């Protein structure tokens, strides 16, 4: 079955550490996205990529970094510069056409200890 | 700038009763509009979407939504709620004509269903 996988489901980080969240899709989608979800805040865009080897900052990119070396993969690194990283992180993808439906992965819950 | 407002943070509905979740958007052109549902600790699932044409859109699980341009609204409705509908619901707007751009989400409405 086609879909989006995110790993791990739960992640614990000590303060000062960088961690990388995985996002893989086998939908052959061109565009991929990372959102952060906090209670009562909805989803806020961190980074997005419309094509391999290219990506753009979203509304809350500070303290995060991404790469897009392969079409199916869009990993997110939460760096030590992110002051409040505890949140639920969602990855999504679309074919890339105007107004295309975004399909979401199951999410990764990151907790800073 | 685009924005989405979901005025109700939390709604409780009796099982079998009708449901309406409100969504208002701000966008200069014809928007692409979406409703998603999220169960606790899960990703988002698309319920329905509006691009153009008929302003009453049918979705999965018996949901429908009506696009009203004059009111900048895209309210979600269901005639009879089931206990399994308890979840968080998000309205989102996409920039028409801009391929690959991200969606703007409202802050969500949590639906509780009482027996």
């Amino acid at each position: 079955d086609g879909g989006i996988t995110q790993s791990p489901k739960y992640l614990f980080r000590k303060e000062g550490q960088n961690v990388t969240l995985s996002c893989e899709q086998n939908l052959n989608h061109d565009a991929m996205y990372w959102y952060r979800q906090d209670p009562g805040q909805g989803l806020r865009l961190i980074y997005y990529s419309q094509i391999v080897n290219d990506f753009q900052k979203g509304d809350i990119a500070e303290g995060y970094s991404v790469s897009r070396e392969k079409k199916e993969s869009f990993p997110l690194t939460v760096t030590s510069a992110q002051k409040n990283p505890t949140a639920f992180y969602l990855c999504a993808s679309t074919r890339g056409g105007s107004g295309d439906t975004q399909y979401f992965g199951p999410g990764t819950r990151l907790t800073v200890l | 700038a685009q924005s989405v407002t979901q005025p109700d943070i939390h709604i409780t509905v009796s099982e079998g009763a009708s449901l309406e979740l409100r969504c208002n958007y701000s966008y200069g052109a014809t928007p692409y509009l979406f409703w998603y549902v999220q169960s606790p600790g899960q990703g988002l699932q698309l319920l329905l979407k509006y691009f153009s044409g008929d302003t009453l859109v049918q979705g999965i699980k018996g949901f429908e939504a009506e696009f009203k341009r004059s009111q900048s609204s895209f309210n979600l409705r269901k005639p009879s709620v089931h206990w399994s509908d308890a979840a968080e619901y998000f309205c989102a707007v996409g920039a028409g004509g801009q391929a690959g751009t991200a969606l703007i989400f409202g802050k969500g409405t949590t639906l509780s269903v009482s027996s």
Side-chain angles (χ1 to χ4, degrees):
Chain A
D1 288 338
I4 302 174
T5 57
Q6 292 186 241
S7 62
K9 186 171 179 63
Y10 299 97
L11 185 58
F12 298 90
R13 187 194 94 173
K14 294 181 179 179
E15 285 192 18
Q17 286 183 335
N18 293 354
V19 291
T20 298
L21 283 59
S22 170
C23 177
E24 303 276 335
Q25 54 96 1
N26 61 3
L27 300 167
N28 199 32
H29 284 174
D30 287 312
M32 298 185 73
Y33 311 81
W34 274 106
Y35 293 93
R36 171 179 170 143
Q37 185 178 21
D38 297 282
Q41 295 297 314
L43 278 70
R44 293 180 291 169
L45 181 66
I46 304 173
Y47 269 98
Y48 68 102
S49 169
Q50 297 175 317
I51 196 169
V52 174
N53 292 323
D54 188 39
F55 48 83
Q56 288 79 42
K57 293 181 178 180
D59 300 321
I60 56 166
E62 184 175 354
Y64 300 97
S65 66
V66 294
S67 63
R68 187 83 187 279
E69 297 177 1
K70 299 185 298 182
K71 185 176 184 178
E72 58 269 24
S73 180
F74 192 41
L76 174 73
T77 296
V78 184
T79 74
S80 57
Q82 171 49 237
K83 300 304 180 187
N84 184 22
T86 295
F88 191 53
Y89 291 86
L90 287 160
C91 179
S93 71
T94 75
R95 288 178 301 172
S98 178
D100 273 351
T101 298
Q102 288 194 11
Y103 295 89
F104 283 82
T108 292
R109 182 163 300 280
L110 172 63
T111 302
V112 174
L113 303 175
Chain B
Q2 301 169 69
S3 65
V4 176
T5 302
Q6 294 180 247
D8 304 305
I9 296 173
H10 189 193
I11 285 181
T12 299
V13 175
S14 298
E15 190 169 16
S18 64
L19 170 70
E20 183 169 30
L21 301 182
R22 296 183 291 165
C23 173
N24 294 98
Y25 68 89
S26 173
Y27 185 65
T30 300
Y32 294 169
L33 294 162
F34 304 80
W35 274 101
Y36 284 87
V37 61
Q38 183 183 35
S39 297
Q42 302 298 316
L44 275 66
Q45 180 184 23
L46 179 71
L47 287 175
L48 48 79
K49 60 184 179 183
Y50 170 79
F51 287 172
S52 64
D54 193 346
T55 56
L56 185 62
V57 180
Q58 302 297 320
I60 63 171
K61 304 184 180 185
F63 285 93
E64 66 178 27
E66 186 171 11
F67 171 59
K68 292 186 177 180
R69 183 188 302 274
S70 61
Q71 299 177 18
S72 297
S73 69
F74 189 56
N75 294 349
L76 182 71
R77 301 192 295 247
K78 187 170 185 177
S80 178
V81 169
H82 188 262
W83 63 267
S84 60
D85 293 323
E88 190 159 21
Y89 292 80
F90 292 95
C91 182
V93 62
Q98 298 182 32
T101 55
L103 300 179
I104 304 297
F105 286 84
K107 294 187 176 183
T109 298
T110 299
L111 173 65
S112 297
V113 180
S114 61
S115 56

